[in-house]
Amino acid sequence: MLLELFSPSVQHALDIVGIFVFAISGALLAVRKNFDVFGIAVLAEVTALGGGLFRDLVIGAVPPAAFTDLGYFLTPLLAALLVFFLHPQVERTQFAVNVFDAAGLGLFCVTGTTKAYDHGLGLTASATLGLATAVGGGVLRDIIANEVPSLVRWDRDLYAVPAVVGAAIVALSIRFEVLNGITTALAVVTAFVLRLLALHYHWRAPRAWNRRSSAEEPAEEKATA
């Protein structure tokens, strides 16, 4: 089992780091959307804990860690407090949101996969739940912020694919019994870098072949058609 490689303290530390960076991304988005202090705290909590909460409910780890570990609850509040007082000018926060979100994506796809496997799921199911852990909080964040989640928008840069790659690296490392600190870091960094590259080069998933849709194209796409 993975607990032989990752002690509870290490797993907990990875979770806390992931929670913090995801909470930062949620709080920064709240600032950009002009939310008040309560809204900043709520968006930080939801972004940080949403994916992990879903994972714990699926694997039967109840009550979920978000409700039994005070550190899980207080970490997003600390992130929200830091953002409330130290955030850059609102119009300049999008880059920071993207960086912190990519970092959380990389960390959570790894910790979600390992925890699911520790609770008896197979490799494919564990990787799938790792993906859900990584993107779940971001989906809830976007919904609360009144935005269509990036996960399902064809006109947004790749979001789930980097998490899939990171989770797959973990699953393959488990399969070939090479999961250790180096391969874990490789999975996190790969997902993180892929997400940032997708944002920089605007990599997007293809839509249906020869599609016919009545949905309106964005103004910039019409202009270049």
Side-chain angles (χ1 to χ4, degrees):
M1 296 296 288
L2 295 181
L3 291 177
E4 298 175 357
L5 292 174
F6 296 100
S7 66
S9 61
V10 172
Q11 184 73 43
H12 184 266
L14 289 173
D15 277 344
I16 290 295
V17 173
I19 286 171
F20 183 78
V21 294
F22 255 173
I24 289 288
S25 78
L28 285 173
L29 179 60
V31 170
R32 189 167 62 87
K33 301 290 284 189
N34 203 30
F35 285 10
D36 62 15
V37 62
F38 182 75
I40 293 172
V42 167
L43 213 59
E45 290 280 357
V46 168
T47 307
L49 302 178
L53 179 62
F54 174 77
R55 174 201 63 205
D56 288 349
L57 291 175
V58 170
I59 64 179
V62 292
F67 294 99
T68 59
D69 190 319
L70 190 60
Y72 282 34
F73 179 77
L74 293 180
T75 298
L77 293 182
L78 173 61
L81 187 66
L82 290 175
V83 170
F84 182 79
F85 287 107
L86 303 176
H87 71 87
Q89 295 181 353
V90 174
E91 65 270 16
R92 302 180 65 180
T93 60
Q94 186 57 53
F95 177 75
V97 171
N98 290 336
V99 171
F100 279 109
D101 188 68
L105 195 76
L107 283 165
F108 271 25
C109 71
V110 170
T111 59
T113 303
T114 57
K115 187 170 183 178
Y117 186 76
D118 275 338
H119 280 75
L121 271 66
L123 292 178
T124 300
S126 295
T128 301
L129 206 52
L131 168 64
T133 304
V135 304
V139 170
L140 291 175
R141 175 201 63 205
D142 290 345
I143 291 174
I144 293 175
N146 198 31
E147 294 189 354
V148 177
S150 298
L151 181 68
V152 297
R153 290 189 59 168
W154 64 267
D155 60 333
R156 291 294 178 89
D157 305 320
L158 294 178
Y159 187 72
V161 172
V164 170
V165 173
I169 291 174
V170 173
L172 289 173
S173 297
I174 296 171
R175 171 64 179 81
F176 294 104
E177 300 181 352
V178 293
L179 186 65
N180 51 44
I182 295 176
T183 53
T184 298
L186 174 64
V188 172
V189 172
T190 298
F192 175 68
V193 171
L194 281 177
R195 173 59 177 161
L196 291 184
L197 289 175
L199 288 168
H200 181 74
Y201 293 106
H202 303 296
W203 293 342
R204 296 172 182 175
R207 288 182 285 171
W209 185 259
N210 289 332
R211 69 179 183 90
R212 294 293 183 269
S213 174
S214 60
E216 292 188 3
E217 305 286 353
E220 62 269 20
E221 184 170 321
K222 288 181 178 179
T224 59

